[in-house]
Amino acid sequence: MSETASGPVQDDSESAFDVFSRRCPSRETLEHVTGRWGGLTLGALHESGARFNELRRRVDGVSEKMLSQTLHALERDGLVHREAQLTNPPRVDYGLTPLGSQVAERLMDLIELVEGRMPEVVEARSRYDATHGA
Amino acid sequence: MSETASGPVQDDSESAFDVFSRRCPSRETLEHVTGRWGGLTLGALHESGARFNELRRRVDGVSEKMLSQTLHALERDGLVHREAQLTNPPRVDYGLTPLGSQVAERLMDLIELVEGRMPEVVEARSRYDATHGA
């Protein structure tokens, strides 16, 4: 199911990882990717690489602490890379790795579907609240 | 984009909803869809409709309370429907609406990508921990 730095354990037929299983490490990664801020951060970086403060403005509502934690988790999973520029003043750029780009693409497909279908969602909520006395 | 009972809300150019904006209702829906349990619940229902206890077994680790809250939020958003069967004993089946199916398909694309690429993620974590002294 897992492997070490010495080499991946490959299974070409079907993935041995299963997010539905609570102990599978893929569930943790899915949570980093789809968590409250992880998804938006990947989505923002999908548009272009960015500096920390640019990301903070784009991901409206995220705190400095949460964005920092989010970026670290995504960097550790190999989805985001961090590049310190040797400029004066020094600056750090964040961008997606090739795997991060693929993940972000799938996420954007989902985000665009949700955004585009929100009128239906809003209508469903009204109907639900009317019949459930909310 | 879609339409309401009173008439179409049309914007052919681009969706008026933006998950990056903290007050947009689409962000709440995205959180229902990608939240800790929402994503797994939609994924489980994508395979087939199910009763509450079947879902609870499939979404390993979810509590009764959290699954119940998750299903209500997804039902309110119009992604899940709940059907009480007039059997003896009575039972309730949960399934996806057409919109819920489309959302679940996008989610499964993402889940399958993450599961399939976990060997790379696990390797990235080892590298990160080795260089960051974790």
Side-chain angles (χ1 to χ4, degrees), chain A residues 2-5 7-10 15-23 25-37 39-41 43-44 47 57-62 72 75-79 98-99 102-104 106-129 132 134, chain B residues 1-5 9 15-37 39-41 43-44 47 57-62 72-73 75-79 98-99 102-104 106-129 132 134:
Chain A
S2 180
E3 78 298 319
T4 64
V9 174
Q10 213 68 17
S15 170
F17 293 93
D18 176 14
V19 294
F20 291 100
S21 178
R22 90 177 89 174
R23 282 185 199 81
S26 65
R27 186 180 281 192
E28 191 191 349
T29 299
L30 185 69
E31 282 171 6
H32 293 161
V33 163
T34 60
R36 192 179 194 86
W37 302 117
L40 296 175
T41 301
E47 293 170 12
R57 279 191 295 275
R58 179 77 178 117
V59 182
D60 185 25
V62 73
H72 276 114
E75 191 192 349
R76 182 170 179 260
D77 283 345
L79 303 174
L99 179 55
Q102 291 183 48
V103 169
R106 303 292 192 293
L107 257 174
M108 289 311 295
D109 285 347
L110 178 65
I111 285 174
E112 279 161 19
L113 177 71
V114 167
E115 286 177 347
R117 304 294 284 275
M118 276 307 291
E120 282 171 64
V121 170
V122 171
E123 215 191 306
R125 285 183 188 169
S126 303
R127 265 198 315 271
Y128 183 94
D129 292 346
H132 292 73
Chain B
M1 189 150 108
S2 180
E3 55 187 74
T4 65
V9 175
S15 170
F17 294 93
D18 176 14
V19 295
F20 291 101
S21 177
R22 90 176 88 172
R23 280 185 200 82
C24 182
S26 65
R27 187 181 280 191
E28 192 192 348
T29 299
L30 185 69
E31 282 172 5
H32 292 161
V33 163
T34 60
R36 192 179 194 84
W37 302 117
L40 295 175
T41 300
E47 293 170 11
R57 279 192 295 275
R58 180 77 179 118
V59 182
D60 185 25
V62 73
H72 276 114
E75 191 191 349
R76 183 170 179 261
D77 282 346
L79 303 173
L99 179 55
Q102 291 182 49
V103 169
R106 302 293 193 290
L107 256 175
M108 289 312 296
D109 285 347
L110 178 64
I111 285 174
E112 279 161 20
L113 177 72
V114 168
E115 286 178 346
R117 305 294 286 275
M118 277 307 292
E120 283 171 62
V121 170
V122 172
E123 221 189 303
R125 287 183 188 169
S126 301
R127 266 198 314 272
Y128 183 94
D129 292 345
H132 291 74

